[in-house]
Structure formats: C-alpha cells, structure tokens
C-alpha cells in the first residue's frame, strides 16, 4: 500500500469513529502533507477507546517507517561530557533516541496532548509512539483514580518509538516567581524518574527539559536543578549507565554544557 493511500485509509477509519470531525476534515486538501497533518490531528484528539487490530497494524507500519526515515540516534553511542562519564548532552528530536527510556513532560491527566499538532514534547512523543500509548496511560489513570501529582513518575511501553519505554512525569507550572515548592517538585520529577528506571533495571535514560516552555520554569534554574539532582543520584548504586539531557533549543544546550563544564563544540558531529 502506498504511503498516501495508507494515510487516507487511517484518516477514514478515525473519522468513522469520530464523525463530529468530518466537516473539518473535508477542508483539508488531498495532498500528502495536508493529509498527514490531518492524521496527526485526529490521533491527537481521539479519546481513549478500544483500538481495532486493522488500524493498529496500519498505524504501526506507518509510524515505524517514519521512525526509520527520520533516522534513529543510538543513545549509548553519544559521547559523554568531560568529567561526567555517565552524562551526555544531545540537541535534537527526543523521539529519535534509541535508549531504554525517554522522559515525557505530562500534564496531570497523563493522557498526552489533545491540541491538534501542538508543539509540546508531550504531543510529539504521543504522535510518534501511536495511540497505544494514550490507551496504556488511560488504564494507569483509571486504576489510580485521581490526577497525577507533580513530581512522581509512571512507566509505559514506548510502542513505535526507538525507546523501549516512556517515563511520564508532571512538573510544576510556574506562575510568577519560582517558589520553593516549584523547585522541590521539579527535583522530584528527575529523582522519581531515575528511581523508577532503576527499579526496572534500565541503563540509558533521556530527559527532556521538564517544566520549561509551556510550564514557564526559567531555563537556567530548571537546568541547575536537573544537573544537581541527576549528578547526586548517579553517585549512588544504580543500574543507570547514562543519562542524556536532551535539548531542542540552542539556549538550553548552552546552559547545560556550561553547567557541566563542557565546551559546546566538544561534541561536534554528535
């Protein structure tokens, strides 16, 4: 089945489940780019509900092909920062990393971003993993029976991601000045993810910049908390061999390399 044909069929299946979006979908042109955007939008807004085998097979074929086309980055092969043999900094798309687990910065519903094609990391991870990720998160939250508190961690499969697992954590939303509670909760996000990864014997973990961006935690202070919490944790006995600080913006790369005492050009070509 051709790429566009597969996308069109997936869109038809989703619109059959969610006919309320049919009129909006009719406004999308039939070209590949527009229809792929429609597919991501429909996947983003689809609530948790049973997934049909035919849909999953086609979705997984599509997402795995897109994963391979983007190119997978082996987290174990990334060079470490001088003086920090268990820490690496990598600027790029976290959904390309082949590691034991990547960290998703969630909201308290823990179901992924429902805003079509939103630019947050939560949306990017769920869109690349597939709808199974939302379904598993839904099962976890149903069993829990209440919103996810800040600073804790949950573990799910990675599905169509190169990462085997996803660590889900909810960071603090900063409103005005950063408070002591904000700092404590952000540190807890990093520590809880590392503790859960250690419980499962995971070795390679990649963190996004939790609570920055949409949650307004200042980049510099967030990175300081992340580096201190991670370096303190790695001094104890743990299964973790490598922590990767994954950044997407130049400013965050500069901050992390400065905090870790690394020259930004030291890992050129990584």
């Amino acid at each position: 089945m051709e790429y566009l044909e597969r996308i069109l069929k997936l869109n038809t299946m989703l619109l059959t489940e969610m006919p309320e979006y049919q009129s909006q979908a009719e406004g999308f042109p039939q070209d590949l780019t527009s229809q792929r955007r429609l597919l991501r939008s429909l996947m983003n807004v689809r609530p948790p509900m049973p997934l049909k085998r035919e849909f999953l097979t086609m979705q997984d074929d599509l997402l795995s092909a897109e994963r391979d086309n983007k190119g997978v980055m082996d987290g174990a092969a990334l060079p470490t920062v001088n003086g920090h043999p268990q820490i690496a900094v990598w600027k790029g798309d976290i959904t390309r990393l082949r590691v034991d687990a990547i960290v998703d910065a969630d909201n308290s519903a823990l179901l992924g971003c429902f805003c079509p094609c939103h630019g947050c990391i939560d949306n990017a991870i769920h869109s690349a993993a597939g709808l199974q990720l939302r379904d598993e998160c839904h099962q976890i939250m149903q069993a829990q029976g209440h919103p996810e508190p800040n600073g804790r961690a949950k573990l799910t499969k990675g599905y169509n991601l190169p990462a085997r697992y996803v660590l889900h954590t909810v960071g603090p939303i900063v409103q005005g000045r950063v408070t002591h509670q904000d700092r404590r909760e952000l540190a807890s996000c990093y520590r809880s993810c590392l503790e859960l990864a250690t419980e499962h014997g995971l070795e390679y973990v990649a963190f996004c910049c939790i609570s920055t961006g949409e949650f307004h935690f200042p980049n510099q202070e967030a990175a300081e908390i992340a580096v201190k919490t991670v370096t303190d944790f790695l001094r104890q006995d743990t299964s973790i061999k490598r922590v990767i600080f994954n950044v997407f913006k130049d400013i965050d790369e500069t901050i992390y390399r400065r905090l870790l005492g690394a020259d930004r050009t030291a890992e050129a070509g990584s």
Side-chain angles (χ1 to χ4, degrees), residues 145-163:
H146 58 79
E148 180 74 355
N150 291 359
R152 300 189 188 176
K154 294 286 191 295
L155 185 75
T156 65
K157 295 177 183 177
Y159 298 101
N160 292 290
L161 294 163

Side-chain angles (χ1 to χ4, degrees), residues 13 21 32 106 144 177 189:
M13 295 168 75
Y21 294 107
L32 176 59
D106 293 75
Q144 178 166 286
R177 285 189 172 185
C189 287

Side-chain angles (χ1 to χ4, degrees), residues 40-54:
R40 178 168 176 172
S41 299
L42 291 171
M43 290 172 66
N44 291 161
V45 300
R46 183 186 187 274
M49 52 185 170
L51 293 158
K52 294 180 180 178
R53 184 181 299 275
E54 181 186 7

Side-chain angles (χ1 to χ4, degrees), residues 41 62 112 119 121 123 142 151 170 203 205 207 225 245:
S41 299
L62 179 80
I121 195 163
N123 190 299
Q142 276 196 316
V170 181
E203 298 181 343
V205 177
F207 281 98
I225 291 169
F245 288 117

Side-chain angles (χ1 to χ4, degrees), residues 97 153-154 200 258:
L97 280 175
K154 294 286 191 295
H200 289 267
R258 185 186 300 126

Side-chain angles (χ1 to χ4, degrees), residues 99-116:
V99 286
D100 288 320
I102 61 172
V103 174
D104 184 11
D106 293 75
N107 57 49
S108 61
L110 220 70
L111 295 179
C113 174
F114 282 83
C115 182

Side-chain angles (χ1 to χ4, degrees), residues 13-40:
M13 295 168 75
L14 289 174
L15 288 169
T16 299
E17 290 183 322
M18 302 181 293
E20 63 270 26
Y21 294 107
Q22 185 67 54
S23 60
Q24 294 170 260
E26 289 171 357
F28 277 73
Q30 292 298 304
D31 64 277
L32 176 59
T33 300
S34 299
Q35 287 299 307
R36 183 61 184 87
R37 184 174 180 82
L38 174 60
L39 176 59
R40 178 168 176 172

